[in-house]
Amino acid sequence: MKIRHTRVTAITAGTGLAATALVATAAYASAGSNEVNAAPAGTTSSAVSAQAKTAKSLAAELGAARTAGSFIDESGKLVVNVTDSSAAQSVRAAGAQPKLVKRSGQDLNKIHKALQKKVTTTGTAYAVNPKTNTVVVSFDSSVTGAKLAKVNKQLKQFGSAVTTKKVPGRYKLFTLGGEAIYAAPSGRCSLGFNAKKGEEYFFVTAGHCTELAGKTWFADQGKTKKLGTATVSKFPGEDYAVVKYDAAPEDTKGAVKGKDGEVDITGAADATVGQKVTRSGSTTGVHEGEVTALDQTVNYQEGQVDGLIQTTVCAEPGDSGGSLYAEDKALGLTSGGSGNCTSGGETFFNPVGEALAAGGLEIY
């Protein structure tokens, strides 16, 4: 696909930029009736957004000492973990399904924070898993021998509250490869979503792209068609960037590439564990999966990144910076992961809301 210099567009990580603009109006998770809890996961983005809103409201009302995360089960119902029967009654009253668990969110978050300081070995990742009521620590194929022994020793003190998992391949940033946007002095990534602030136009992508490849981005490999320059760049710690267009794009109708054609993006939302999601990329095309964890910490070789969305969606080099979405809602920007789209793997995404908030932007 080619990019017209005056008609800049944002197809997701992996499909690169195409000749149709990707636009949307910012809209975060909104309140909804309790009826949405019975809807199958992924049936509508508004249903999932309402479930996320209900979960947030309950967590705020009951507190981290009485709740321990939430998820959407296979039937599409919102499940909220609680530590006592009174909290369970509140969850039922809100239209969700309570699940009594041993460990509170407060307990698990303390462990997560301790791991962020103790376990910094490259190739490890960890997050609270609400389905198992544990903190799951993952190792990639580089964590062996003395490195593995060291990590296991560090985890021993947490007992059964921590579980471990081996993943294929190595955790890496998905920066290179594919038809996408090009950086000066060097590097290739993918544009995530177009956004604006007043009459100024921007796009959001991965922070490691702007930190490791360059701040100035072009639509072509020869770097003759300049798109713009990064105004916000976060990596490591977080993984997002905001790039300001040199000129406003003419086409204000936009969509991401889906399996059956273009998918219009009408706003942004928070991801929810158990939610069905889609990623589209210039290297690997369109792939689907499920959100498995939030607030994920990953120790890349280049540094630690926190607060990521963990998914079962595959990705490969060239997909960095591109979009994670669920139906018509933007969720995240491709960061990195392990495996590939042949044998499978997992991919991490920085929540798109962080990039929008940092730039004071709205998806258009």
Side-chain angles (χ1 to χ4, degrees):
M1 296 182 180
K2 296 183 179 179
I3 311 168
R4 299 181 192 174
H5 184 57
T6 58
R7 196 181 177 193
V8 184
T9 68
I11 291 291
T12 61
T15 51
L17 299 180
T20 53
L22 189 164
V23 300
T25 301
Y28 291 90
S30 57
S33 69
N34 295 332
E35 294 178 355
V36 301
N37 295 324
T43 298
T44 65
S45 58
S46 59
V48 175
S49 292
Q51 288 172 316
K53 182 70 173 181
T54 298
K56 281 188 174 182
S57 178
L58 286 167
E61 175 189 344
L62 300 172
R66 301 178 67 199
T67 59
S70 60
F71 59 93
I72 299 171
D73 67 14
E74 292 182 356
S75 70
K77 197 162 186 72
L78 174 66
V79 178
V80 180
N81 293 334
V82 295
T83 58
D84 62 70
S85 57
S86 177
Q89 290 179 354
S90 296
V91 170
R92 290 191 189 95
Q97 177 67 44
K99 178 183 178 182
L100 284 170
V101 295
K102 179 180 179 181
R103 304 175 189 90
S104 70
Q106 192 174 66
D107 296 333
L108 295 175
N109 288 334
K110 284 181 180 178
I111 295 173
H112 188 190
K113 288 184 181 299
L115 293 177
Q116 288 177 324
K117 294 180 180 179
K118 288 177 174 288
V119 182
T120 58
T121 301
T122 298
T124 59
Y126 29 85
V128 174
N129 186 323
K131 291 186 177 181
T132 62
N133 192 226
T134 63
V135 177
V136 179
V137 179
S138 303
F139 312 102
D140 71 14
S141 60
S142 70
V143 184
T144 59
K147 289 174 66 176
L148 181 59
K150 176 185 176 182
V151 174
N152 282 330
K153 184 178 180 180
Q154 292 170 323
L155 299 180
K156 193 172 182 180
Q157 64 175 299
F158 302 111
S160 60
V162 169
T163 56
T164 60
K165 179 180 70 173
K166 191 78 174 177
V167 300
R170 296 191 177 193
Y171 288 134
K172 57 186 178 295
L173 299 169
F174 293 139
T175 304
L176 301 176
E179 179 187 28
I181 53 176
Y182 298 83
S186 64
R188 291 176 290 174
C189 274
S190 296
L191 189 154
F193 298 99
N194 280 327
K196 69 176 182 177
K197 180 170 62 177
E199 297 302 316
E200 296 180 313
Y201 290 82
F202 304 79
F203 67 81
V204 292
T205 186
H208 71 262
C209 294
T210 53
E211 285 298 308
L212 304 179
K215 296 294 195 297
T216 303
W217 290 84
F218 296 82
D220 62 318
Q221 190 170 10
K223 302 181 182 63
T224 62
K225 301 175 182 179
K226 186 180 177 183
L227 296 177
T229 304
T231 58
V232 177
S233 183
K234 298 288 186 179
F235 181 84
E238 298 166 296
D239 195 2
Y240 64 83
V242 175
V243 178
K244 183 179 180 181
Y245 281 115
D246 275 11
E250 293 179 355
D251 190 345
T252 57
K253 177 184 178 182
V256 296
K257 183 178 175 63
K259 273 192 168 182
D260 301 313
E262 294 182 353
V263 177
D264 188 33
I265 300 298
T266 64
D270 295 323
T272 303
V273 173
Q275 182 178 13
K276 307 302 180 184
V277 292
T278 303
R279 180 198 61 74
S280 179
S282 59
T283 302
T284 56
V286 179
H287 290 272
E288 299 174 336
E290 181 178 306
V291 175
T292 52
L294 305 176
D295 197 26
Q296 178 85 34
T297 298
V298 183
N299 289 303
Y300 296 121
Q301 182 177 351
E302 295 83 357
Q304 186 181 89
V305 180
D306 306 317
L308 299 176
I309 303 166
Q310 182 190 52
T311 73
T312 60
V313 188
C314 69
E316 295 180 10
D319 292 331
S320 273
S323 311
L324 178 73
Y325 62 96
E327 295 198 1
D328 61 341
K329 292 295 186 290
L331 300 178
L333 304 166
T334 306
S335 174
S338 68
N340 54 55
C341 289
T342 299
S343 61
E346 59 184 19
T347 302
F348 308 110
F349 300 82
N350 199 98
V352 70
E354 294 182 356
L356 298 177
L361 310 175
E362 60 177 5
I363 292 177
Y364 65 83

